[in-house]
Amino acid sequence: MSGLTTIGKSVVRVDALEKATGKAIYCADVVLPGMLYVKVLRCPHPHARIARIDAAMARNLPGVVFVATGEHAPAKKLGSIIYDEDVITKDIARAIGAPIAAVAAESLDIAEEAVALIDVEYEKLPALFDPEESVRANPPVVIHPDLAKYEVGVPHYYRLDPERPNVFMHYKVRHGDVDKAFKSADIVLENKFTTGRVQHCALERHVTVARPESDGGVTVWLSNQCAQARRADLCRLFDIKPSKVRVVQPYLGGGFGGKAIMREEAIAVLLALRSGRPVKLELSREEVFFRGGTRPRLIITIKDGARKDGTLVAREMTVILAAGGSAESNIASVVRNCSFAAVGTYKVANFKWDSYGVYLNDPIANPFRGFGNTQVAFAIESQMNMLAEKLGLSPVEIREKNLLREGDINATGEITHSIGAAACLRRVLKEIDYGRPAQSSGKWVHGKGFGLANKYSLAPSASSATVKLTEDGDIILYHGSSELGQGCDTVMAQIAAEEFETSVDRVKIAYSDSLYMPYDFGTISSRVTYHMGNAVKLACEDAKRQICERGSAIMEVPAAELEVRRGRIYRKGGSKEGVPLSQLFAGYGPNRYGSYLAGGDIIGKATFIQDFTPEDVQTGQIDHKPAAGGLRLNAFYAHTARAVEVAVNVETGVIRVLKVAGADDMGQPINPKMVEQQQDGGIGTAIGLAIMEEVKLEQGNVLNPNWTDYRFPTAAEMPKVADFKTYIEAAPHKDGPYGAKGFSEGAMMGIDSAVANAVYEAIGVRLLDLPLNAERVLEAIKRKKG
Amino acid sequence: MMKRIVKLRVNGVDHEVLVEPWRSLAEVLREELKLTGTKVSCNTGNCGSCTVIMNGKAVRSCLVLAPKAQGAEILTIEGLAGEDGALHPLQDAFIEHFAIQCGYCTPGMIMASKSILDESPDVGEDELREKLRGNLCRCTGYKKIVEAVLAARDKMYRGAE
């Protein structure tokens, strides 16, 4: 885009200096006068009824201020869409780690000692750990017998399956007629894929500090990606008015989807309100594995029908999502939304989709950077290669044949817009020199592979922003999105700087505090650059309009003929030197009295709403008419391609990713170096998820809940700098700020399938189960040898 | 168990703290001395977020018991910049090379990198990656961290601008 001054420039991150000097404040750094420390007693059984609980000894321990058990917990339950879990278990615990009691004490040592003194007698109940058993019409255990009676948050996404008692959501897409199309297909191919549990492993654990206020309200410092949503949750749970729940959000030390839900924050608030003292609750690393959430296991089947020329005529998919004892935000954001991985990249004339979210007696599972789309894309991109091979086509040909193009109707009825998939694919193929065989050496056999993916961003949702002019013409920007490390504070500062044609150092980002922060839906679904970016842009326009009105009086020129840039008001097209913004404040002693301004403060505000048209519950389709009018199911789709060269050790089964090329379509890049940050980090994490990481579950217990046993990549497992290349292939979006889209989740996609396809090229074994760890590779090699 | 007095010098300032002997150096720094720049993430010595320099060597402060720091000279992220406020070349490089995202690993990563460069001014990419194995980051894929440390090396030891 031409004429931009700051957008598209790699300005230094606004948070970098604080973070490089140790001055940045995170929730764990917050200490308040009189603060107590909280420890939670957790259920050791996957499914159990509390037969008796006696906390008298804990209450009598010196230094203990309050012990909360289920009887103190709010009557309302926690959840997202379906409220299905007590803040502290009242009767039945449905997972190991479920909170049974919580102690607030003068020190963490005392709280831990007190927890050990609580005497609980459990009645163990039969438990269920197999998702394929749980999804049945007659499962051996019904985990929530009263499921149909639970309070519901968002009715549109409430889709129980009356036939299947453990299913908390059944999502359907019906497009065309797959049965008929399969009959006309030249070949039909069906495969089943599975993906294991993995953990977000944000470096910062989940922390909450809660302070009771004299007016009956509460102030909460929290490490959560959706501060405003948590405020609403707390109002609902504790029946406190919105004006009295204040949520303050310091920097987050990573989120990746693992801090997007309300969970143990409520325990801290409960204890603050009950004890009358500020409290701090910080999960241990082990607790994060049980209660911080993990990416759910998925079982994905794909049945494809194709013509000899590679045209995909039918695709039928079934997905079972293995949740824990509570549904969490899997309901809409994963069970429903992982379907978009299957509709946003390829044109499939006949498409049938059924996804089921099922309860199990496992620890909670929740979204992880991609809302299930990563895993669905892994299955599809593996399947595409298998289909190509069966048809005698190259993996590139089959994709080029079936990729959605601008203007195509996708399998939900949306009209495709802003699709850089083909450009991303071409770029990574070139950079990895795809087609030229990799050179192997000894027991290390090399292969190349690639994978595509798309990542939708949700609709409908809204973001609001406020900008305030200071007396020296600088801008204070209030936006309610969370800086989790992805760089939204810098992106928003760049947008405000662009609008005022000024430099980023003249934009001050306000600390996130719900007392003055305008509304934001949440820092999820790669939505912030697009949604909040639009809101900031509009709020700046509003402020500039007000400035021009004030300037009109000073300059004696109609406001419509004025414009604001570089800290001054200019006559449009005029060559004369403009009036500095500070002059609006002149004559009122700015040095003595601050910012008093004739006519009052200049505060620009705006809300950006991405509307949608809802899908039909039975078919997942949107109506043609609103679609033609520009409405859609999702805000936008970002596109991703990844290509890798791997080496497989045929003696040990170990995979090494030697080279990687990644290309992403995020529309107009706001800050190219920060785009690279997302690409680098997305790829880095994805390599771990593809080849090494898995939360090991046994009878509902996590066997490796620490970083000694759950390993994720170090610098030594990454390709070298020269072999780790990323590219921007922008397809600007008509509704994005300057054409920008969000893509931080998409950046983590495509590596798993690229590695699986490369392993196949290297050693001729097809792995359908993630992670592709050494044991699995070795077993597959042995199987192939027979 | 009785609390003990631990005397230590942190960022050039002498301190005396009275702590239980099972307290870690990380807790002393963060809770007693309010130096919260040092982060604790895993608390089991795997991640390196709490890395500080003790008597010239990088240590994981979550694994160092407070009495073991008796009489020690400690350098934390807060003490890394010069007295004139000028940033250490590693801090500059982490900022300029976009090696910082969420920032939680950053203090430990910078302190570990300082120790690596102090001991191996000629460190190359492969060796650096091996030596950084004890410092985990989930945001960056390590690429820009490696670039930043090598750029700081060039500035400190090879006369690069």
Side-chain angles (χ1 to χ4, degrees):
Chain A
M1 199 173 274
S2 63
L4 297 175
T5 56
T6 302
I7 300 301
K9 304 274 195 309
S10 293
V11 303
V12 169
R13 288 179 63 126
V14 300
D15 54 351
L17 181 59
E18 272 181 280
K19 289 177 176 178
T21 51
K23 288 178 183 155
I25 298 294
Y26 300 80
C27 209
D29 304 329
V30 175
V31 175
L32 300 176
M35 190 173 84
L36 303 174
Y37 295 82
V38 177
K39 190 70 190 168
V40 177
L41 175 67
R42 300 189 177 281
C43 185
H45 308 296
H47 200 188
R49 181 188 302 277
I50 301 172
R52 187 181 57 82
I53 183 162
D54 181 357
M57 278 174 72
R59 289 196 174 99
N60 290 333
L61 188 71
V64 169
V65 177
F66 198 86
V67 180
T69 60
E71 66 173 307
H72 303 102
K76 289 176 180 163
K77 290 176 188 285
L78 279 166
S80 163
I81 300 178
I82 297 174
Y83 300 114
D84 62 1
E85 193 185 49
D86 294 325
V87 171
I88 297 178
T89 309
K90 289 177 181 292
D91 182 25
I92 293 173
R94 294 176 173 87
I96 294 177
I100 301 299
V103 177
E106 299 289 348
S107 74
L108 193 56
D109 286 345
I110 297 170
E112 283 173 353
E113 195 182 339
V115 156
L117 295 174
I118 300 171
D119 184 22
V120 189
E121 193 183 308
Y122 295 98
E123 177 197 337
K124 288 189 219 171
L125 301 171
L128 184 56
F129 309 107
D130 181 346
E132 288 172 309
E133 278 188 5
S134 187
V135 79
R136 284 186 205 149
N138 290 301
V141 177
V142 175
I143 293 173
H144 287 271
D146 294 330
L147 177 59
K149 295 179 198 159
Y150 288 164
E151 187 188 352
V152 175
V154 188
H156 177 66
Y157 298 123
Y158 182 67
R159 296 172 204 182
L160 301 183
D161 187 328
E163 307 286 314
R164 304 165 193 265
N166 282 333
V167 169
F168 53 78
M169 186 183 210
H170 176 188
Y171 188 72
K172 292 183 243 182
V173 185
R174 304 287 184 264
H175 186 79
D177 185 342
V178 284
D179 295 334
K180 206 168 135 194
F182 278 124
K183 284 181 195 139
S184 74
D186 293 321
I187 65 155
V188 172
L189 179 68
E190 183 169 352
N191 284 296
K192 178 175 165 181
F193 303 84
T194 69
T195 66
R197 262 192 183 223
V198 289
Q199 226 278 323
H200 312 81
C201 295
L203 270 278
E204 178 205 36
R205 291 171 264 142
H206 300 57
V207 191
T208 312
V209 175
R211 180 176 70 198
E213 301 297 351
S214 311
D215 63 3
V218 64
T219 301
V220 189
W221 289 257
L222 77 184
S223 52
N224 196 284
Q225 297 172 229
C226 307
Q228 308 254 359
R230 298 299 77 83
R231 179 170 148 275
D233 284 339
L234 292 170
C235 291
R236 177 187 151 272
L237 274 174
F238 294 99
D239 200 19
I240 306 177
K241 288 161 69 66
S243 63
K244 293 186 178 179
V245 177
R246 176 182 174 194
V247 174
V248 183
Q249 197 168 35
Y251 283 124
L252 261 72
F256 313 116
K259 294 174 182 166
I261 51 165
M262 167 64 98
R263 197 48 41 205
E264 312 250 320
E265 291 91 340
I267 296 176
V269 170
L270 174 68
L271 284 168
L273 293 172
R274 289 284 182 162
S275 69
R277 301 261 298 266
V279 304
K280 182 184 231 172
L281 169 54
E282 180 168 13
L283 297 191
S284 67
R285 185 52 64 188
E286 181 172 349
E287 286 176 307
V288 172
F289 275 86
F290 285 90
R291 296 295 294 175
T294 46
R295 186 168 88 175
R297 290 182 285 158
L298 259 55
I299 300 168
I300 304 162
T301 55
I302 312 182
K303 181 182 172 190
D304 283 342
R307 282 206 291 268
K308 280 180 187 150
D309 69 354
T311 307
L312 205 52
V313 295
R315 174 166 278 172
E316 185 173 347
M317 295 187 66
T318 307
V319 173
I320 302 171
L321 178 148
S326 52
E328 301 297 323
S329 53
N330 292 307
I331 295 173
S333 37
V334 188
V335 180
R336 171 183 180 267
N337 297 1
C338 72
S339 67
F340 301 129
V343 307
T345 299
Y346 299 111
K347 185 168 184 161
V348 192
N350 301 283
F351 179 67
K352 185 180 178 199
W353 166 283
D354 289 275
S355 50
Y356 304 90
V358 299
Y359 287 113
L360 294 171
N361 294 111
D362 282 335
I364 58 172
N366 58 12
F368 181 170
R369 202 173 184 178
F371 285 136
N373 286 255
T374 318
Q375 303 97 295
V376 172
F378 159 72
I380 289 173
E381 292 300 302
S382 301
Q383 172 88 353
M384 291 301 274
N385 274 35
M386 296 159 86
L387 201 57
E389 186 179 32
K390 211 170 169 188
L391 288 162
L393 299 170
S394 82
V396 181
E397 281 173 304
I398 195 164
R399 285 171 175 88
E400 285 177 341
K401 187 92 195 166
N402 292 290
L403 274 180
L404 280 168
R405 313 280 167 185
E406 183 77 20
D408 281 347
I409 308 267
N410 72 20
T412 69
E414 291 177 311
I415 298 168
T416 301
H417 167 62
S418 171
I419 177 160
C424 288
L425 173 60
R426 281 194 298 273
R427 171 62 87 152
V428 299
L429 293 176
K430 177 172 168 269
E431 299 302 336
I432 206 84
D433 208 358
Y434 190 73
R436 176 194 286 236
Q439 298 298 309
S440 299
S441 56
K443 63 190 177 184
W444 288 97
V445 182
H446 292 222
K448 293 177 185 176
F450 69 91
L452 299 183
N454 75 80
K455 177 60 185 54
Y456 77 95
S457 183
L458 64 81
S461 76
S463 294
S464 301
T466 305
V467 295
K468 181 178 169 179
L469 193 69
T470 63
E471 59 267 43
D472 58 353
D474 281 7
I475 298 141
I476 303 174
L477 173 56
Y478 304 80
H479 76 85
S481 297
S482 307
E483 178 56 75
L484 354 156
Q486 86 284 35
C488 69
D489 281 354
T490 306
V491 165
M492 296 313 143
Q494 280 185 265
I495 291 174
E498 181 68 41
E499 288 304 303
F500 281 86
E501 265 196 65
T502 187
S503 53
V504 164
D505 63 0
R506 299 199 63 181
V507 181
K508 169 73 182 171
I509 302 286
Y511 205 79
S512 183
D513 183 330
S514 68
L515 269 189
Y516 51 75
M517 216 39 118
Y519 176 81
D520 183 42
F521 181 87
T523 307
I524 55 169
S525 198
S526 304
R527 62 179 292 285
V528 169
T529 296
Y530 178 94
H531 288 81
M532 188 57 82
N534 269 318
V536 169
K537 195 165 178 284
L538 293 169
C540 291
E541 284 172 17
D542 185 37
K544 286 191 293 183
R545 184 187 52 74
Q546 296 175 42
I547 291 168
C548 290
E549 281 170 9
R550 307 285 177 88
S552 172
I554 298 173
M555 298 169 77
E556 297 177 338
V557 172
E561 290 175 26
L562 296 176
E563 63 183 3
V564 180
R565 52 193 159 86
R566 293 194 285 269
R568 288 167 180 266
I569 311 171
Y570 289 93
R571 192 165 183 165
K572 276 181 192 165
S575 56
K576 280 203 344 199
E577 198 168 287
V579 171
L581 294 178
S582 57
Q583 200 170 313
L584 296 177
F585 297 83
Y588 297 93
N591 295 327
R592 280 190 296 149
Y593 302 117
S595 66
Y596 176 73
L597 178 64
D601 284 335
I602 290 177
I603 297 174
K605 71 182 183 75
T607 297
F608 175 80
I609 301 168
Q610 176 62 55
D611 200 3
F612 91 140
T613 183
E615 77 278 12
D616 177 80
V617 172
Q618 292 306 320
T619 66
Q621 301 296 296
I622 61 170
D623 286 343
H624 175 68
K625 208 173 161 185
L631 285 179
R632 44 203 192 255
L633 211 42
N634 290 309
F636 58 83
Y637 293 83
H639 298 274
T640 292
R642 299 284 182 260
V644 297
E645 179 175 333
V646 304
V648 186
N649 186 316
V650 291
E651 290 173 7
T652 63
V654 167
I655 297 171
R656 278 194 205 148
V657 178
L658 301 176
K659 291 183 183 169
V660 60
D664 292 87
D665 157 28
M666 73 304 295
Q668 165 70 42
I670 304 289
N671 182 318
K673 278 284 174 191
M674 285 169 52
V675 165
E676 286 178 19
Q677 288 191 318
Q678 291 307 303
Q679 293 175 309
D680 295 350
I683 289 168
T685 300
I687 289 173
L689 304 187
I691 65 176
M692 61 198 289
E693 296 179 38
E694 186 168 19
V695 173
K696 299 280 186 193
L697 289 171
E698 189 179 273
Q699 300 287 302
N701 195 17
V702 178
L703 301 182
N704 53 347
N706 56 69
W707 287 353
T708 306
D709 300 311
Y710 183 96
R711 301 294 291 161
F712 63 91
T714 71
E717 275 92 36
M718 290 289 113
K720 291 183 71 165
V721 167
D723 296 324
F724 191 147
K725 300 249 178 76
T726 58
Y727 305 91
I728 292 169
E729 292 293 345
H733 195 287
K734 64 183 174 65
D735 298 329
Y738 318 98
K741 305 186 278 190
F743 85 113
S744 295
E745 294 162 297
M748 206 184 77
M749 298 168 71
I751 284 285
D752 37 21
S753 56
V755 172
N757 290 336
V759 168
Y760 183 77
E761 186 183 287
I763 59 170
V765 300
R766 173 58 63 181
L767 295 154
L768 305 177
D769 306 295
L770 283 179
L772 314 174
N773 55 29
E775 295 93 309
R776 283 197 171 124
V777 175
L778 209 51
E779 197 181 296
I781 291 171
K782 281 182 190 154
R783 233 181 7 246
K784 186 176 175 241
K785 282 183 184 160
Chain B
M1 207 182 293
M2 288 281 285
K3 287 189 177 184
R4 296 188 193 172
I5 292 171
V6 176
K7 294 182 184 181
L8 68 177
R9 189 174 173 86
V10 182
N11 302 331
V13 180
D14 290 321
H15 294 277
E16 269 188 30
V17 295
L18 184 65
V19 291
E20 293 96 340
W22 60 82
R23 293 274 166 238
S24 69
L25 174 59
E27 287 174 294
V28 169
L29 293 171
R30 286 181 53 81
E31 292 166 23
E32 304 295 325
L33 305 182
K34 316 294 179 200
L35 292 168
T36 55
T38 299
K39 300 300 178 206
V40 177
S41 176
C42 70
N43 221 0
T44 49
N46 296 102
C47 75
S49 308
C50 63
T51 304
V52 299
I53 295 179
M54 182 163 109
N55 298 330
K57 294 262 182 205
V59 296
R60 288 142 215 254
S61 61
C62 78
L63 293 185
V64 176
L65 289 174
K68 286 277 183 194
Q70 188 70 263
E73 180 103 28
I74 313 279
L75 183 68
T76 74
I77 191 73
E78 289 93 342
L80 195 55
E83 278 177 17
D84 57 353
L87 296 183
H88 186 275
L90 274 163
Q91 291 172 309
D92 275 330
F94 269 63
I95 294 170
E96 286 164 20
H97 288 265
F98 288 78
I100 301 169
Q101 292 192 31
C102 86
Y104 219 71
C105 77
T106 305
M109 200 66 85
I110 288 177
M111 299 315 286
S113 299
K114 180 184 186 300
S115 166
I116 291 167
L117 290 183
D118 286 348
E119 286 171 22
S120 315
D122 270 332
V123 71
E125 180 177 345
D126 287 342
E127 188 191 353
L128 174 63
R129 286 179 180 275
E130 281 300 318
K131 291 188 169 188
L132 278 178
R133 263 181 183 277
N135 287 75
L136 296 175
C137 169
R138 194 59 153 175
C139 296
T140 65
Y142 306 98
K143 184 181 171 187
K144 294 189 191 310
I145 291 174
V146 168
E147 287 177 329
V149 178
L150 295 179
R153 172 205 64 187
D154 291 349
K155 201 169 174 182
M156 290 163 71
Y157 300 110
R158 297 184 182 182
E161 282 301 304

